[in-house]
Amino acid sequence: MQTLPTVLLRPGEADRVVAGHPWIYAASILRLSQPAGDGDVVQVKDHRQRFLGIGFFNSKSKIHVRMLSPERVAIDQAFFERRIRGALALRQKHLAEAACFRVVNAESDFLSGLIIDKYGDVIVIQTSALGMDRRKEMIVGAVKELFAPRAIVERNEFSSRKYEGLPDSNGVLDGQLPSGPGSLLRVELNGLSFEVDILGGHKTGLYLDQQLNWRQVAQLARGGQVLDCFTFQGGFALHAARAGAVHVHAIDQSAEAIATAARNAAENGLASQCTFEAANVFDWFKAQTTAGPHEKVVPRFDLIVLDPPSFTRNRAAIPDALRGYKEIHLRALKLLKPGGTLATFCCSHHIDGQTFQDVILDAAFDTHRVLRRIATYTQSPDHPVIPVIRETEYLKGFAFEIAR
Ligand code: SAH
């Protein structure tokens, strides 16, 4: 292998890298041995010239180097095949039955800047780092080798690409999407049929990170009246209905998502148990929990699911986000019957599990409820958590019963 440009780290900056964190910021760098091109592979050494590994360089990004390997390996199609095969083995171990899952979850799979999702026989790729983006052809080659999919598409239209100097890009990279209306696909998840808009949906199509939680929360729904807030295309709602909920009312502010959720319910023979409503959850809760002078709010749900989007774009948004979380919990608790269950999720990187639970307990205090925690949830195992890479952990959830 030809000699790679060397990035020398400042004293004290190597430990993070040795521990497994792949990001090296400009401030950690002492100097470069020779100029490196953006998107090129560099080797990284500590200030004593000890070799730490290789990574992609990008002077345009705040993250100057994204580590790829602690060894000197060639970054070619065979490298991607090995890494993707390793990631796939993990999914086969922990999500053996799944036809749709995240095959590669960037840092969680030691491929910073690369996401690969599998929706049946269609593969969706996102490259959020310049070095990865430049190697799209190798990645497509590796994916074809491993999955022989019907189509490989890229969903590269998201805001963080601009921090790497990358333009938006969206479309089919290889193969052909099945013909149908737009880019709609029907896939199977946990034995239920879901519609996926492969070129236009949220994330890469579905919230795959909730795959296990859909099943687990559904266990709490049997025989009950269920409210699914922020349902998107009916993830929790459909699982709850199948598990034997008497009725599920599901809300999302997106009329399009609600229409899809209703189609999904019909497709799975669950339409008679479900109602769907396009509404803002905050407004809906306010209307349902505001009582006139001689009225009382009647609690009528046995299970309420709260799965809002991340309310925090950045740290500055945390106080507002916490107020938002508290408000929906307060209102949800008022609508839960005695002994009812709240299943609630927070997908913000900026709010940890303890802080999230504290907000819920605050809402319980204000509504004079005492809660019993019966479950804790995290992201599905195809979004592995590597604790030394704190950014890999983001989804937390709890189920609480009203104990008193
Ligand atoms: N529960 C879903 C994922 C929810 S993602 C699942 O398991 O698949 C968050 C959803 O909240 C999005 O569909 C978005 O349209 C919706 N949303 C965001 N703000 C909202 C609001 N104020 N009221 C209602 N829905 C909202």
Side-chain angles (χ1 to χ4, degrees), residues 202 207 210 214 230-232 235-236 252-254 257 279-282 307-309:
H202 288 201
Y207 289 85
Q210 291 284 27
W214 287 337
F230 310 94
T231 190
F232 185 48
F236 286 104
D252 199 282
Q253 73 180 7
S254 156
N280 181 315
V281 166
F282 287 85
D307 183 24

Side-chain angles (χ1 to χ4, degrees), residues 194-265:
F194 281 88
E195 185 178 298
V196 184
D197 184 352
I198 215 75
L199 291 176
H202 288 201
K203 293 213 178 194
T204 63
L206 289 175
Y207 289 85
L208 296 171
D209 52 0
Q210 291 284 27
Q211 186 161 188
L212 276 195
N213 298 332
W214 287 337
R215 291 203 316 239
Q216 280 164 9
V217 171
Q219 298 311 310
L220 308 169
R222 197 166 300 124
Q225 293 287 336
V226 178
L227 176 66
D228 179 14
C229 297
F230 310 94
T231 190
F232 185 48
Q233 298 179 345
F236 286 104
L238 300 186
H239 283 79
R242 181 183 57 181
V246 172
H247 184 262
V248 185
H249 188 61
I251 304 174
D252 199 282
Q253 73 180 7
S254 156
E256 227 181 308
I258 283 295
T260 306
R263 277 197 297 279
N264 283 338

Side-chain angles (χ1 to χ4, degrees), residues 43-346:
Q43 58 179 338
V44 177
K45 294 184 174 176
D46 73 4
H47 68 291
R48 292 207 177 90
Q49 299 277 352
R50 269 181 307 204
F51 177 77
L52 300 174
I54 60 167
F56 287 139
F57 183 77
N58 186 2
S59 66
K60 288 198 192 71
S61 167
K62 265 207 314 210
I63 304 171
H64 262 38
V65 181
R66 291 170 188 265
M67 297 302 287
L68 287 163
S69 169
E71 279 134 36
R72 267 190 200 88
V73 290
I75 304 304
D76 50 15
Q77 183 173 318
F79 166 81
F80 286 106
E81 269 181 51
R82 284 197 307 276
R83 277 290 160 86
I84 299 170
R85 194 175 284 120
L88 185 59
L90 200 70
R91 278 66 180 171
Q92 284 163 343
K93 182 172 166 197
H94 295 292
L95 276 176
E97 309 291 310
C100 300
F101 54 87
R102 178 152 292 187
V103 181
V104 166
N105 190 43
E107 284 77 13
S108 303
D109 292 295
F110 307 109
L111 287 168
S112 179
L114 178 64
I115 282 173
I116 302 179
D117 284 349
K118 180 176 179 300
Y119 291 99
D121 56 4
V122 174
I123 299 281
V124 184
I125 291 178
Q126 289 185 318
T127 44
S128 59
L130 178 66
M132 280 297 174
D133 200 71
R134 288 257 180 91
R135 287 157 183 87
K136 235 162 25 191
E137 244 174 71
M138 289 177 195
I139 296 165
V140 166
V143 165
K144 277 171 75 170
E145 199 59 44
L146 292 170
F147 298 95
R150 174 204 287 257
I152 303 173
V153 308
E154 69 173 319
R155 288 292 309 277
N156 275 327
E157 64 307 350
F158 48 89
S159 59
S160 63
R161 271 174 67 95
K162 66 173 180 286
Y163 303 123
E164 293 273 326
L166 289 167
D168 284 355
S169 174
N170 167 304
V172 178
L173 294 173
D174 192 84
Q176 253 189 335
L177 285 174
S179 57
S183 54
L184 297 185
L185 214 69
R186 271 219 161 265
V187 296
E188 205 204 280
L189 254 155
N190 293 331
L192 287 167
S193 161
F194 281 88
E195 185 178 298
V196 184
D197 184 352
I198 215 75
L199 291 176
H202 288 201
K203 293 213 178 194
T204 63
L206 289 175
Y207 289 85
L208 296 171
D209 52 0
Q210 291 284 27
Q211 186 161 188
L212 276 195
N213 298 332
W214 287 337
R215 291 203 316 239
Q216 280 164 9
V217 171
Q219 298 311 310
L220 308 169
R222 197 166 300 124
Q225 293 287 336
V226 178
L227 176 66
D228 179 14
C229 297
F230 310 94
T231 190
F232 185 48
Q233 298 179 345
F236 286 104
L238 300 186
H239 283 79
R242 181 183 57 181
V246 172
H247 184 262
V248 185
H249 188 61
I251 304 174
D252 199 282
Q253 73 180 7
S254 156
E256 227 181 308
I258 283 295
T260 306
R263 277 197 297 279
N264 283 338
E267 194 69 31
N268 289 288
L270 299 168
S272 64
Q273 283 160 271
C274 302
T275 45
F276 296 96
E277 183 177 350
N280 181 315
V281 166
F282 287 85
D283 296 343
W284 189 91
F285 266 142
K286 222 173 276 169
Q288 299 288 322
T289 53
T290 309
H294 302 291
E295 295 167 2
K296 251 188 104 189
V297 174
V298 184
R300 54 200 167 88
F301 293 105
D302 299 286
L303 170 67
I304 297 182
V305 181
L306 299 176
D307 183 24
S310 164
F311 295 140
T312 55
R313 282 250 167 82
N314 48 44
R315 296 206 158 270
I318 293 176
D320 272 350
L322 293 178
R323 266 191 294 279
Y325 282 117
K326 179 163 174 193
E327 155 125 18
I328 51 175
H329 285 91
L330 210 93
R331 308 240 180 220
L333 288 171
K334 289 185 181 168
L335 289 178
L336 270 180
K337 292 184 199 164
T341 307
L342 181 66
T344 179
F345 294 88
C346 170

